[in-house]
Amino acid sequence: ELKVEQNPLFLSMQEGKNYTIYCNYSTTSDRLYWYRQDPGKSLESLFVLLSNGAVKQEGRLMASLDTKARLSTLHITAAVHDLSATYFCAVDGYDKIIFGKGTRLHILP
Amino acid sequence: DAGITQSPRHKVTETGTPVTLRCHQTENHRYMYWYRQDPGHGLRLIHYSYGVKDTDKGEVSDGYSVSRSKTEDFLLTLESATSSQTSVYFCAIKGTGANVLTFGAGSRLTVL
């Protein structure tokens, strides 16, 4: 059964700092998604990672996938207040797509 | 969201009443999903569909049923709503080979 563990669940950080969110999963998959959600809104797609070693970057966010370790990371570089949101990873188990519990990111000025 | 709509967007109902939420897509995607979102639990998969009349259970399917009689519509039914089913429900779609799972705007259900 596919399980997805995301950590940390809550992260408060200063503007300008770097940090990483981790997403571990339990069974084989070669497709992983990262989403952003603002309060009261739906989920916005950030990245889709399709193969081992995949790395994608958009602005201050960079995501990577290691399928052998069953691990994906979302790295935040020089955080700014606008990045405050909840971030989710989701793993595609070929039919089911299972989400982590999310990381609530709060960036302090 | 473009290509996927949920209805109703808000509903308040009483315990024991039936409720149906509708997800409609115009993308002709094969896969459709229903999730519920609750504080501290993230998104949990209720049911999903991989084609017309092809559905399967997710992580939290008890108390829910689904139907998909045509490609564009995926219905989620609560036969007898309970207060524990108060939640925000999201529908999502994914096409074969598509790289993105696209979400609807969500349906907020309150069961009194």
Side-chain angles (χ1 to χ4, degrees):
Chain A
E1 183 184 355
L2 176 57
K3 300 283 188 186
V4 180
E5 184 176 320
Q6 195 174 331
N7 63 82
L9 298 182
F10 182 78
L11 179 56
S12 181
M13 56 193 291
Q14 296 280 344
E15 276 193 328
K17 299 292 187 182
N18 303 333
Y19 211 81
T20 301
I21 300 170
Y22 297 89
C23 178
N24 292 273
Y25 54 99
S26 61
T27 64
T28 300
S29 173
D30 59 3
R31 184 175 298 194
L32 188 141
Y33 308 89
W34 283 97
Y35 287 87
R36 168 182 173 146
Q37 186 181 37
D38 293 301
K41 303 292 186 182
S42 185
L43 282 81
E44 173 190 354
S45 178
L46 294 174
F47 302 108
V48 182
L49 303 170
L50 297 176
S51 61
N52 188 43
V55 177
K56 290 196 173 180
Q57 183 163 6
E58 180 73 33
R60 301 175 186 274
L61 301 178
M62 182 175 71
S64 65
L65 176 62
D66 182 344
T67 58
K68 294 179 181 177
R70 296 178 185 166
L71 171 68
S72 180
T73 60
L74 180 66
H75 187 73
I76 303 150
T77 302
V80 293
H81 180 70
D82 285 352
L83 291 178
S84 294
T86 300
Y87 294 84
F88 292 94
C89 67
V91 179
D92 194 330
Y94 302 109
D95 275 340
K96 297 181 181 180
I97 299 178
I98 304 298
F99 278 74
K101 292 187 176 182
T103 297
R104 188 175 164 194
L105 179 62
H106 182 53
I107 298 171
L108 304 169
Chain B
D1 286 357
I4 177 172
T5 55
Q6 293 184 229
S7 60
R9 293 289 315 280
H10 301 273
K11 185 171 182 67
V12 180
T13 191
E14 294 188 350
T15 297
T17 60
V19 176
T20 295
L21 305 179
R22 181 185 183 226
C23 180
H24 178 78
Q25 62 150 329
T26 58
E27 306 295 324
N28 202 35
H29 282 348
R30 179 183 174 194
Y31 287 90
M32 300 184 76
Y33 304 82
W34 276 109
Y35 293 89
R36 60 177 290 174
Q37 184 173 30
D38 305 287
H41 291 279
L43 277 83
R44 292 180 290 176
L45 180 64
I46 305 172
H47 281 279
Y48 65 98
S49 170
Y50 46 96
V52 173
K53 293 187 168 55
D54 291 323
T55 65
D56 205 349
K57 296 179 180 179
E59 302 169 280
V60 289
S61 58
D62 287 349
Y64 301 95
S65 63
V66 291
S67 66
R68 191 168 178 199
S69 59
K70 44 187 179 177
T71 299
E72 56 265 37
D73 288 327
F74 191 31
L75 304 180
L76 177 70
T77 298
L78 292 64
E79 300 290 347
S80 178
T82 67
S83 58
S84 65
Q85 294 175 312
T86 291
S87 187
V88 179
Y89 292 85
F90 285 100
C91 177
I93 58 174
K94 184 187 79 169
T96 304
N99 291 336
V100 179
L101 180 69
T102 303
F103 280 83
S107 296
R108 182 175 294 276
L109 176 66
T110 302
V111 184
L112 302 176

